Structure formats: C-alpha cells, structure tokens
Amino acid sequence: SSGINAEYGEILKYGSYIVDGLVEYKQPVFVYIPPYGELRGGAWVVVDPKINPDAMEMFADRNSRGGVLEPEGTVTVQFKQRDIVQTMKRVDPKYRELFETIQENGSHLSHDDRKRHVNELRNREAYLMPSFHMISTTFADLHDTPQRMMAKGVIQEILDWETSREFFYWRVRRRVLENDLERRIKSANKKLEHGQIQSMIRRWFIEAKGPVMNYLWDDNSAVVEWLSNAEEQDSVNENIKILEKDALLSKIDKLANQNEDISFEAIVSLLHRMQPRHLEEVRKMLNSAATSKDDSEPAQ
C-alpha cells in the first residue's frame, strides 16, 4: 500500500508502532515466510531482523520468495527495453545480421530495401521480446529464492513445510533456555555483550560434548538437551562462578589503582577477617614476592 490509501489507512503509522515494539522486545521473535508466500518492500522493513538482531530471526520455506521488488518490478527498473534490445544484438544471430546490414549498408540500399530490412528487424524484435522478457523475469526471480536470501545472510535457515512445526518447537525452547543462561552470565559480568556471551555458551557446549561433536551446535534438540540436563549444568554453574570472581577481582583492582591509601586500608581490613589458613598462604606469597624482588635487585 502506498500514497493516499496508506496515509488515510494510517498504515505507515501503525507499521512504525510495530518497529518500535520490536526494537525493545527481549523475547525470541521468529519471522517465517510460508510456502509460496512473498515478503516484499515495506512489509520486509517492518519485520527485518536488523531491527533487533539479538532477539529476531527470519526463516523461509523452500518455495517462498522475498525481496524489495517483485521480479516484474525489478526487470522494469534494472533491465529496460533498450537493455533487452542490446542483449538481442549480442545473442541472436539473425537480429544482429539485420541490424548490421542496416547500419553498414543503409546508405547504399534503396528506399524500399531499407524499409523492408527495418520492418524485418522490428518484426524480429517483436517476436523475441516476450521470450527475452520471460527469461529476464525468471533471472530476476532467482535473486528472490530462499537459497539466495540464505547466501546474502538475510535469513537464518531454509525450512520445509512438513518439518517446520518440529523445527520451531525445538528452536523456541533453545532460544528461551539460552536467554535464561545469558541473563545469568550478564548478572555475573555486566561488561559482556550479546555476541561475546553467545560465543562463550558455544565454547562451553563444545567443551562438554568434545570437539568431534561440535556439529551438534547446529542441532536445536541437542542444545536443548544440554541446557536442560542438571548434570551438564554443573560445569556451567562453575564457569559462571569463575566469571563472577573475575569480575569482582577486576573491580577490586580498578579501585586499588584509583587510590593507593584506600587499597592499603582495604588490605589490612581483609587480613583481619581472614581465616588462619588463608593468612598463612598470604604470608608465604608475600615472603616469596620479597625474595624474588631481592634476587632481581643488582648487588651494590
């Protein structure tokens, strides 16, 4: 829809509401182009995963289509009639022969012969035009196939209608469990970004399954089983504890660098609270550090 109809129907207004809602949405959002469905132009803009790449994913059926323009529109804009005529000159011997005859011998031909050749050229052009237009439309349509969308990275995966329900069942379970784990990781270390967390989860999965089984990362059901297994999550919990410890140590180190006096008082306060066995370990570390420092200083 466009123009006055779009303005009176407030289509653009409500489309912008959809975009505003998707930008802030935190739960998984799946866009699915069903069999023989088409996603075009302004409709694509409203549901493009680039609006919220952390939450949105797009999938397409093997027999669907997607693109800014329909093939007819693409041909009208990108492959006009003059371009088709140039292609005829290049690939059709008879059309090329008639055209070259008129160009090279036009001044030597009689008026009737020239008129006859021009009519033959126009008739040949009219005869070829439907076929060339159909070929160009088919070629433009190839750019809208799921395979091409997959190659351009605008969809996540190509699906078959018969197995799509099962796919989305496992996919939504995986995304929900991953989101829960991501929130736990984020609470342990708030500096981590979404991409870093996803890479971290993938590394933990491969460490649990072994490098030979890393292909299972693309299997939604296998990832769901790993995220749901209590025994498997013991190692995940340990990793999260390590993240919490590293984040806390980083914060303490930052505060110590900002003010040496405060860091000294903090150390004294911590020493008073330590258990005897920990105090003994600290004493050994300090003695070792002092010895290393003495050994590194040159003799006077």
Side-chain angles (χ1 to χ4, degrees), residues 121-140:
L121 184 68
R122 289 176 178 171
N123 290 336
R124 185 65 179 174
E125 182 178 316
Y127 173 75
L128 294 174
M129 187 61 71
S131 299
F132 274 72
H133 180 76
M134 182 179 66
I135 293 170
S136 60
T137 303
T138 303
F139 181 74

Side-chain angles (χ1 to χ4, degrees), residues 47-81:
V47 295
D48 194 325
K50 290 181 181 178
I51 295 171
N52 187 350
D54 292 349
M56 297 181 65
E57 294 177 331
M58 183 180 288
F59 304 90
D61 185 84
R62 199 170 300 278
N63 296 313
S64 64
R65 293 291 185 271
V68 177
L69 296 174
E70 295 183 0
E72 285 283 352
T74 302
V75 170
T76 302
V77 174
Q78 298 289 338
F79 201 59
K80 297 179 172 63
Q81 183 170 350

Side-chain angles (χ1 to χ4, degrees), residues 29-46:
V29 178
F30 300 144
V31 180
Y32 175 49
I33 309 176
Y36 307 105
E38 297 186 10
L39 185 61
R40 304 286 182 184
W44 186 300
V45 173
V46 173

Side-chain angles (χ1 to χ4, degrees), residues 187-249:
S187 64
N189 189 337
K190 293 180 172 55
K191 293 182 179 180
L192 294 174
E193 300 293 335
H194 174 75
Q196 294 174 306
I197 294 174
Q198 286 296 312
S199 298
M200 190 178 296
I201 295 173
R202 183 177 187 274
R203 188 178 73 248
W204 293 351
F205 176 82
I206 293 174
E207 288 174 355
K209 298 296 182 181
V212 179
M213 308 294 285
N214 62 355
Y215 67 91
L216 289 175
W217 178 251
D218 296 325
D219 186 341
N220 292 317
S221 60
V223 177
V224 168
E225 182 184 357
W226 175 68
L227 290 169
S228 305
N229 191 310
E231 295 180 1
E232 296 279 9
Q233 291 307 296
D234 288 341
S235 61
V236 173
N237 294 332
E238 288 298 322
N239 288 327
I240 292 176
K241 288 180 181 179
I242 293 172
L243 288 175
E244 291 175 344
K245 184 180 73 173
D246 291 343
L248 184 58
L249 289 174

Side-chain angles (χ1 to χ4, degrees), residues 54-106:
D54 292 349
M56 297 181 65
E57 294 177 331
M58 183 180 288
F59 304 90
D61 185 84
R62 199 170 300 278
N63 296 313
S64 64
R65 293 291 185 271
V68 177
L69 296 174
E70 295 183 0
E72 285 283 352
T74 302
V75 170
T76 302
V77 174
Q78 298 289 338
F79 201 59
K80 297 179 172 63
Q81 183 170 350
R82 63 173 179 270
D83 300 314
I84 296 178
V85 170
Q86 291 298 323
T87 305
M88 290 179 185
K89 294 177 188 177
R90 190 176 71 252
V91 303
D92 184 66
K94 186 174 182 180
Y95 187 94
R96 184 170 60 250
E97 180 184 353
L98 289 169
F99 181 81
E100 290 175 352
T101 300
I102 295 172
Q103 289 292 107
E104 296 173 3
N105 304 318

